[in-house]
Amino acid sequence: MADYMFMLESHLSADQNRVVEQVQAAADAVGVNLFLTGGGMRDMLGGFQIRDLDFSVEGNALKVARTLEEAGAQTTAIDENRRSADLVFAGGVTAQVAMSRMERYAKSGAKPQVTPATIQEDLRGRDFTVNAMALSLNRASRGLLLDPTNGLADLGHKELRSAYSYVFYDDPARLLRLVRLRVRLAFTVEERTRLQFDNARAAHLENLIPPRTLWDELKRISDEPSPAEVVRALEQDGLLGLYSAALSGAKLNLPALTRLEKAERLVESASVPAAPKLGAFLHALTAKLTPKEKSGLIKAAEIPKAEIEAWRNLEPRARKLEHALKSPNVRKPSGVYEILATAPADELVFLLCNSEHRVVQERVRNYLQKYLPAMQEVPRAEWEALEGQPGTPKYNRGRHALVAARLDVRPKKVAEPEPEPVVPVLPVDVVVARGRGRWGS
């Protein structure tokens, strides 16, 4: 049992490990059984990066969430029906705490009737077997693996298999999820599950997916490592039209999505603080759509007004940054650094994907690959030695001088010593011949 705990701790970041400890402490305080479940378990056992932490509680999950809020976590969403809460912790770690439950559907796509259940019952009612495993975080059974549907074997076979026969009929949104997970994990779909998928499509169950669920899935696609591949797969499976019938043929802007992936990887590799990916994703996805077609997509997914505003405001924000970067007054690396040091990551990504100015592209890349790494190597003592309080003119002058000293001063070229003249060495016969000519008869 200890092996799984060691595996978990080894796969988690320091911030994620602290969150696991905080959630365990909150569950102990409330007096409920706690399990790590879902995608976190799948990714840990499969050797993938753990993106989110999913916890299941046999008992009052929302009380656990409130206890975590009191300790500093922030609740971003609550599902009263499923008794679950999404939270953000220090370091940007995201997690969900949910009641272990059984869900019964009166009809396909309907709101489920939710009742409390044991963790074993909860796991058997999940979508795919690789998502139906749990790890006990309770003192008496800490490290115990629960796997009622044999998901560990399917994980080893790199195969997606439905946890029960009516997976897609109960919740048609799982059609989209299967495609997304298939692409991200590079798994095959088990034959019986593929048949269930095809039968659900033949019954047009995808048309029963609620608009807000389409929106939730679109957000998850935008956060995928390769959204272009997911979009391509959805188009091939005939599911992309749920968002817009126009997203096909020449209007399916896959090259823009591919550029977006490369830009995001470049920004992330420079350890720039993360920013929402959704706006840049929606801009790339809909770049070739008419205003009317974009409005149709917004209506189909019931995109919230705040998200629409964030999407529409991204380009104007990025263009202001572009204008500053292409100014003829920006001649030195320190000037580029000062402009971009406070720029949000989504603006950097947007310019890398969309700016038509070569100088802007070069300056963003130089910032990410040269200037930012150089400033990250400055010892903390040098920053602490700056006089004045951060934000004051005195501090800013010292900061600017430090940046300029690091980025603008070119190293002096070391003069190479002049090579010594090479004296040719003549062959012996030539030397002898010359000697004879000079001293001979």
Side-chain angles (χ1 to χ4, degrees):
M1 290 192 294
D3 288 344
Y4 289 118
M5 290 307 302
F6 176 77
M7 186 182 300
L8 175 63
E9 292 165 1
S10 300
H11 277 76
L12 296 179
S13 67
D15 287 333
Q16 287 174 323
N17 270 306
R18 280 191 287 271
V19 169
V20 172
E21 293 172 0
Q22 291 175 39
V23 178
Q24 287 181 104
D28 287 342
V30 175
V32 294
N33 291 328
L34 178 71
F35 304 87
L36 180 69
T37 55
M41 277 296 295
R42 177 199 66 224
D43 293 341
M44 183 265 285
L45 294 171
F48 303 105
Q49 178 186 1
I50 298 178
R51 298 153 57 91
D52 304 295
L53 296 171
D54 299 312
F55 299 96
S56 291
V57 171
E58 287 182 330
N60 194 334
L62 296 183
K63 190 174 182 180
V64 175
R66 287 193 294 271
T67 303
L68 290 167
E69 273 190 323
E70 294 170 0
Q74 179 183 357
T75 299
T76 57
I78 292 178
D79 186 331
E80 292 287 353
N81 188 40
R82 290 184 168 91
R83 311 297 289 172
S84 68
D86 296 336
L87 301 107
V88 177
F89 295 80
V93 177
T94 56
Q96 183 182 85
V97 179
M99 176 184 71
S100 61
R101 61 191 184 268
M102 292 183 66
E103 297 182 357
R104 293 182 174 84
Y105 295 83
K107 60 181 180 179
S108 294
K111 185 176 181 179
Q113 179 186 354
V114 178
T115 55
T118 66
I119 188 63
Q120 293 279 3
E121 293 169 327
D122 178 293
L123 296 176
R124 289 191 178 93
R126 298 208 169 204
D127 49 10
F128 310 110
T129 60
V130 296
N131 293 335
M133 297 176 284
L135 187 68
S136 173
L137 299 177
N138 306 297
R139 292 180 181 178
S141 58
R142 183 177 170 84
L144 175 66
L145 176 68
L146 305 176
D147 184 16
T149 63
N150 206 21
L152 188 59
D154 291 329
L155 197 60
H157 296 149
K158 299 184 182 299
E159 190 171 64
L160 289 170
R161 177 167 61 89
S162 58
Y164 64 101
S165 298
Y166 298 99
V167 160
F168 302 116
Y169 276 81
D170 281 349
D171 186 359
R174 291 164 172 167
L175 296 167
L176 300 174
R177 195 177 309 153
L178 178 70
V179 175
R180 181 167 53 81
L181 289 178
R182 187 191 76 208
V183 172
R184 188 209 302 172
L185 303 176
F187 280 14
T188 59
V189 178
E190 180 256 350
E191 184 177 353
R192 183 175 60 87
T193 303
R194 169 54 70 178
L195 183 60
Q196 293 170 355
F197 180 93
D198 292 340
N199 289 340
R201 293 301 313 284
H204 304 293
L205 295 185
E206 67 272 14
N207 295 326
L208 301 177
I209 301 175
R212 292 307 299 269
T213 304
L214 287 176
W215 165 239
D216 289 339
E217 190 62 26
L218 194 62
K219 287 190 294 184
R220 292 187 177 94
I221 294 169
S222 73
D223 201 39
E224 286 290 319
S226 182
E229 291 300 318
V230 176
V231 169
R232 179 185 287 110
L234 289 171
E235 195 270 338
Q236 291 172 344
D237 280 328
L239 291 168
L240 193 59
L242 294 173
Y243 295 98
S244 172
L247 287 173
S248 61
K251 289 195 173 184
L252 181 55
N253 200 5
L254 292 176
L257 290 171
T258 301
R259 289 196 302 273
L260 175 64
E261 293 171 20
K262 293 179 180 178
E264 287 177 342
R265 284 196 292 269
L266 178 58
V267 172
E268 289 169 0
S269 68
S271 300
V272 175
K277 297 182 178 181
L278 188 59
F281 169 76
L282 290 173
H283 183 276
L285 179 68
T286 63
K288 295 187 176 182
L289 300 188
T290 65
K292 183 177 180 179
E293 290 165 343
K294 290 179 183 180
S295 297
L297 186 150
I298 291 170
K299 183 178 179 181
E302 290 186 359
I303 301 179
K305 185 177 180 180
E307 299 290 357
I308 297 171
E309 290 301 314
W311 164 22
R312 289 175 174 169
N313 289 337
L314 173 58
E315 182 167 6
R317 285 193 289 114
R319 295 303 181 191
K320 287 183 180 179
L321 181 63
E322 179 183 55
H323 181 74
L325 277 176
K326 68 181 183 180
S327 169
N329 296 326
V330 182
R331 296 185 178 90
K332 296 181 179 181
S334 62
V336 174
Y337 178 86
E338 295 289 8
I339 291 172
L340 295 180
T342 57
D346 57 350
E347 294 181 16
L348 301 179
V349 168
F350 185 92
L351 292 182
L352 286 170
C353 293
N354 300 287
S355 178
E356 297 179 355
H357 299 277
R358 182 178 177 181
V359 67
V360 171
Q361 291 272 350
E362 290 178 348
R363 285 173 173 172
V364 173
R365 291 182 184 278
N366 284 336
Y367 168 75
L368 295 171
Q369 297 175 326
K370 297 179 182 179
Y371 311 152
L372 182 58
M375 295 310 301
Q376 289 170 341
E377 292 175 359
V378 175
R380 176 177 291 184
E382 292 191 34
W383 291 109
E384 294 175 346
L386 296 177
E387 297 180 358
Q389 294 295 321
T392 63
K394 188 174 185 179
Y395 180 90
N396 290 339
R397 286 194 298 271
R399 179 183 177 279
H400 180 74
L402 176 58
V403 172
R406 283 280 175 164
L407 300 181
D408 296 342
V409 178
R410 297 183 179 180
K412 295 182 180 179
K413 292 184 178 181
V414 179
E416 297 181 1
E418 294 184 4
E420 297 181 2
V422 179
V423 179
V425 179
L426 299 176
V428 175
D429 56 344
V430 174
V431 174
V432 172
R434 288 186 176 180
R436 286 175 180 171
R438 185 175 180 181
W439 304 104
S441 57

